[in-house]
């Protein structure tokens, strides 16, 4: 089951990367088209849709890699048992919020499909098609947060940290041996 979930998160991350590359290709086509006097219709619209898709599809993968911004200044001052309690509370609240957001985005996609709404750009597209990657990304993110919450409660698995955060917490900074010289730089 773990391999399936990690594959799901990785797959969403790969799709997000494909969206970013597609944005680059669309902008490149627009720039080259401008040089040649060719208009690429709705390129701004498509780049915007792909940006929204990339943002939402990357949420779960980024969370699992510890890439989301965390405010650890507060938790770094707490005792280990308090940190675990705070993380559990945060994960419970986050689980409720992301499930609600996933539901609302799914409902928005269904409503757009039901009312047959289309985008307002030069190239009209079904709105549900544009909104679907956001809903899928939020559902995958909800699965990732619930997965992390269950693992935290059942197995004691902590919220992933970024490489930078792990490095910063692993090494103490000692200022006792550092002496400034006359130019304002330091040496030991």
């Amino acid at each position: 089951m773990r391999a399936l979930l990690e594959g799901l998160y990785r797959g969403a991350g790969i799709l997000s990367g494909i969206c970013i590359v597609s944005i680059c290709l669309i902008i490149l086509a627009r720039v080259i088209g401008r040089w040649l006097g060719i208009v690429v219709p709705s390129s701004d619209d498509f780049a915007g849709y792909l940006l929204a898709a990339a943002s939402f599809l990357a949420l779960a993968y980024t969370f699992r890699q510890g890439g989301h911004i965390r405010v650890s200044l507060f938790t770094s001052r707490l005792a280990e048992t308090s940190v675990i309690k705070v993380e559990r509370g945060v994960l419970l609240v986050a689980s409720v919020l992301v499930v609600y957001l996933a539901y609302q985005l799914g409902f928005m996609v269904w409503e757009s499909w039901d009312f047959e709404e289309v985008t307002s750009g030069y190239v009209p597209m079904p709105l549900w098609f544009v909104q679907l990657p956001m809903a899928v990304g939020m559902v995958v993110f909800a699965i990732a947060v619930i997965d992390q919450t269950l693992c935290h409660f059942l197995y004691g698995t902590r919220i992933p940290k970024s490489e930078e955060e792990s490095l910063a917490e692993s090494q103490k900074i000692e200022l006792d041996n550092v002496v400034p010289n006359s130019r304002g730089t330091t040496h030991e």
Side-chain angles (χ1 to χ4, degrees):
M1 183 67 152
R2 173 60 37 208
L4 178 68
L5 288 172
E6 293 299 331
L8 177 66
Y9 309 146
R10 194 176 313 106
I14 290 169
L15 286 175
S16 174
I18 290 170
C19 289
I20 297 293
V21 170
S22 299
I23 291 170
C24 293
L25 293 175
I26 287 172
I27 299 303
L28 181 64
R30 182 176 176 178
V31 169
I32 292 172
R34 188 174 289 164
W35 289 341
L36 301 175
I38 300 170
V39 175
V40 179
S42 292
S43 59
D44 290 339
D45 295 337
F46 288 116
Y49 304 150
L50 288 167
L51 180 62
S55 300
F56 279 84
L57 288 169
L59 288 172
Y61 179 77
T62 306
F63 177 69
R64 294 296 298 162
Q65 297 301 313
H68 286 189
I69 297 172
R70 294 171 31 135
V71 183
S72 59
L73 184 62
F74 171 71
T75 57
S76 66
R77 306 279 186 230
L78 297 175
E80 190 68 21
T81 55
S82 297
V83 172
I84 291 172
K85 289 177 185 176
V86 168
E87 281 186 0
R88 287 182 177 176
V90 166
L91 284 169
L92 285 172
V93 170
S95 295
V96 171
L97 289 175
V98 296
V99 166
Y100 176 74
L101 287 172
Y103 169 77
Q104 288 297 326
L105 283 172
F107 183 73
M108 180 181 70
V109 170
W110 177 80
E111 217 173 31
S112 296
W113 176 77
D114 192 38
F115 290 117
E116 299 177 4
E117 294 177 303
V118 294
T119 61
S120 60
Y122 184 73
V123 177
M125 290 182 58
L127 192 57
W128 68 266
F129 185 74
V130 172
Q131 296 169 340
L132 186 62
M134 295 187 316
V136 169
M138 187 53 72
V139 167
V140 175
F141 183 47
I143 291 169
V145 172
I146 292 169
D147 174 28
Q148 182 63 47
T149 304
L150 290 174
C151 288
H152 200 295
F153 276 93
L154 298 176
Y155 310 115
T157 306
R158 303 292 296 274
I159 298 174
K161 295 179 182 179
S162 67
E163 291 179 33
E164 293 83 9
E165 189 175 8
S166 297
L167 182 63
E169 289 180 0
S170 68
Q171 297 178 351
K172 299 259 187 214
I173 299 173
E174 294 187 28
L175 299 175
D176 296 339
N177 297 334
V178 179
V179 179
N181 63 17
S182 61
R183 288 184 268 165
T185 60
T186 60
H187 65 281
E188 290 193 32

